[in-house]
Amino acid sequence: MSVFRAVAWDLDGTLIDSEGLHQRSLIETGAEFGVDLSDLPDEAFRGIHMRDVWTALEPRYPKTVDRKTWIAAIERFYVAHAPSLSAIPGAVEAVRALAAKGVPQACVSNSGRSIVDANLDALGVRRSMAFSITLDDVSAGKPDPAPYREAARRFALPPAAIVAVEDSGAGSRSARAAGLYVIGYAPDGNALVGSDRSIAKLIEVASLFEA
């Protein structure tokens, strides 16, 4: 019998191929406010929550633009384009396989509520999730352990009984600090630093719950 009883999925880059849209959202929203961010490297803020992204970019914005206004503009652009996003290979199959086994699942994301909901709708897996934790639900985002601690509280399970699936260092540090078992999704074959185990295919998560 598996020692694990639930799965907490990261969303961006783990279940959904969204990093490109996050980058476009930053650049297009910057242009909306007259700021050229085309020099940003691809995936410059992978795994970084929006409050910290704003801290990094704020000096480039006019003083008339505040964080709340900026985040709202980012989210509007992202949500409008989310229906075109694609699932990470094997993501939907892994979620459905776990659902068929009766394994409780949730999403733990560094994005805001509207973006998380848009991503889950694009994947068509919202009904398979018991709940989702967003940046709007916690006082601090990943790499702080707060998001995964809140997930454990809502699951009403010991953290060690929950598998976290992550693709970023910030996410793995968050989950590990909260006491979860961390699986690093590494399709390139390179182990994710800070993970307890690395996998190349998401369906491997389901094998942890074999009777």
Side-chain angles (χ1 to χ4, degrees), residues 75-121:
E75 292 184 346
R76 279 196 304 273
F77 182 91
Y78 187 100
V79 170
H81 295 83
S84 66
L85 292 173
S86 300
I88 295 292
V92 173
E93 292 81 359
V95 169
R96 289 177 177 166
L98 288 163
K101 293 173 181 284
V103 177
Q105 300 175 78
C107 280
V108 180
S109 175
N110 255 354
S111 293
R113 170 59 57 192
S114 63
I115 288 178
V116 168
D117 287 348
N119 281 341
L120 292 174
D121 287 340

Side-chain angles (χ1 to χ4, degrees), residues 2 7 19 24 43 47 55 85-86 95 100 104-105 110 112 123 159 161 172 175 179 191 194 205:
S2 172
V7 175
E19 299 301 339
R24 281 180 58 206
E43 301 187 4
T55 298
L85 292 173
S86 300
V95 169
Q105 300 175 78
N110 255 354
L123 290 170
S172 64
V205 177

Side-chain angles (χ1 to χ4, degrees), residues 137-148:
D137 301 317
V138 291
S139 59
K142 308 172 191 177
D144 191 276
Y148 280 107

Side-chain angles (χ1 to χ4, degrees), residues 162-188:
I162 305 167
V163 173
V165 188
E166 278 284 352
D167 75 316
S168 73
S172 64
R173 292 195 299 275
S174 171
R176 178 175 282 268
L180 281 67
Y181 182 85
V182 185
I183 289 185
Y185 174 55
D188 59 4

Side-chain angles (χ1 to χ4, degrees), residues 27-108:
I27 293 171
E28 296 293 337
T29 299
E32 180 182 329
F33 293 112
V35 179
D36 183 5
L37 298 177
S38 60
D39 61 315
L40 289 177
D42 288 345
E43 301 187 4
F45 298 105
R46 186 182 185 92
I48 308 301
H49 63 75
M50 294 306 292
R51 296 170 192 163
D52 283 351
V53 175
W54 171 247
T55 298
L57 295 179
E58 182 180 10
R60 300 179 65 167
Y61 276 81
K63 296 298 183 184
T64 53
V65 181
D66 60 21
R67 186 179 75 180
K68 183 177 180 181
T69 301
W70 177 77
I71 287 179
I74 290 277
E75 292 184 346
R76 279 196 304 273
F77 182 91
Y78 187 100
V79 170
H81 295 83
S84 66
L85 292 173
S86 300
I88 295 292
V92 173
E93 292 81 359
V95 169
R96 289 177 177 166
L98 288 163
K101 293 173 181 284
V103 177
Q105 300 175 78
C107 280
V108 180

